[in-house]
Amino acid sequence: ELARALTGDLEATTRERLSFERGSILAHQLGDRVRACAHWAQHVRRFPAGRYAREVEAAIAALGCAQ
């Protein structure tokens, strides 16, 4: 649902929030390291200095994503 919502016409702040939530779900609820790392890389490209930059950086480090 979040992936689909992200394709809609949304304000930048809403898009960033949904993207962050999607990454969190992939990493923490689903435990899908590969998809979470790919998502976080995309998130960082889209929102390099975003509201959740510290949390995303911590998630990337915790998952051991290649940078």
Side-chain angles (χ1 to χ4, degrees):
E1 291 295 319
L2 288 174
R4 187 176 3 184
L6 285 165
T7 65
D9 185 26
L10 303 169
E11 291 185 25
T13 55
T14 302
R15 186 176 307 281
E16 181 185 7
R17 186 173 301 115
L18 292 178
S19 179
F20 177 76
E21 291 300 331
R22 183 168 188 258
S24 294
I25 289 168
L26 288 169
H28 304 294
Q29 279 74 29
L30 298 178
D32 190 335
R33 183 184 171 278
V34 172
R35 286 177 55 203
C37 287
H39 177 80
W40 287 134
Q42 183 180 44
H43 181 94
V44 169
R45 283 191 300 275
R46 286 185 178 164
F47 311 103
R51 176 180 181 179
Y52 304 101
R54 287 185 183 150
E55 291 89 343
V56 171
E57 185 178 315
I60 290 169
L63 291 165
C65 301
Q67 301 205 9

